[in-house]
Amino acid sequence: MKHLLSALLTVTLFISCSKDKDEVKDYTAQNEKEITDYLAQNNLTATRTDSGLYYIIEEEGDAEGETPLATSNVTVAYKGYYTNGNVFDQSDEQGVAFSLTQVIQGWKEGIPHFKEGGKGKLLVPAHLGYGSKDYQSIPGGSVLIFDIKLISVN
């Protein structure tokens, strides 16, 4: 009986540790506060979508310019950084061409708010970015900020 209880306790401990390792942490409230604090500290006004994405249109872009769909191919020049200002990625001035079907949800939802030639920011909470797990050099749960220039809808 003593060995059975010990074995049961060991299995239970092993299972609970395994669950903790794979558990997805919800950063929604923490990210919301981090974004609103960042906006206040930098005296920025942004529009919040129902999903929790914030965006700022700094330049409207070409009056005749196209507005992409979530499935469009686009060319975008960007700089990605954290709320502390540390840059984790950026393109050159010519930008990068890609399909919006191949990027994080924050870009799929955010880029269609811009017209060709438009500039602004996307403030992306973790659940619309890379989630709660580390992704390459990006720590899990990170708020991502992108300075965006939509060069073209291809």
Side-chain angles (χ1 to χ4, degrees):
M1 181 75 165
K2 194 180 211 180
H3 295 293
L4 180 63
L5 184 58
S6 178
L8 186 59
L9 183 59
T10 302
V11 169
T12 304
L13 183 59
F14 176 74
I15 291 171
S16 71
C17 287
S18 297
K19 283 182 183 174
D20 290 345
K21 197 165 125 186
D22 294 333
E23 193 173 305
V24 176
K25 183 173 178 190
D26 184 1
Y27 287 92
T28 306
Q30 179 182 332
N31 286 175
E32 182 72 17
K33 181 175 180 351
E34 187 175 342
I35 291 170
T36 56
D37 287 352
Y38 178 85
L39 292 169
Q41 290 166 0
N42 291 282
N43 200 26
L44 297 171
T45 302
T47 302
R48 184 186 188 282
T49 68
D50 290 341
S51 70
L53 174 73
Y54 285 80
Y55 66 93
I56 301 168
I57 305 295
E58 296 166 344
E59 292 180 22
E60 291 293 327
D62 302 332
E64 303 294 317
E66 279 190 64
T67 302
L69 303 172
T71 56
S72 294
N73 291 313
V74 296
T75 300
V76 174
Y78 69 92
K79 178 171 79 170
Y81 51 99
Y82 306 109
T83 56
N84 67 7
N86 290 343
V87 175
F88 60 84
D89 192 17
Q90 76 182 67
S91 70
D92 59 25
E93 290 179 14
Q94 287 74 40
V96 179
F98 53 85
S99 169
L100 287 176
T101 62
Q102 299 173 325
V103 295
I104 61 173
Q105 187 61 37
W107 277 46
K108 286 178 193 172
E109 182 182 336
I111 298 294
H113 290 286
F114 295 86
K115 282 187 174 184
E116 284 180 318
K119 291 171 83 172
K121 293 185 186 318
L122 296 177
L123 294 95
V124 181
H127 69 277
L128 298 176
Y130 295 104
S132 64
K133 298 195 180 199
D134 295 349
Y135 177 78
Q136 295 179 359
S137 66
I138 299 172
S142 294
V143 169
L144 308 176
I145 303 174
F146 295 94
D147 291 339
I148 298 287
K149 178 172 184 183
L150 178 57
I151 296 170
S152 64
V153 178
N154 307 325

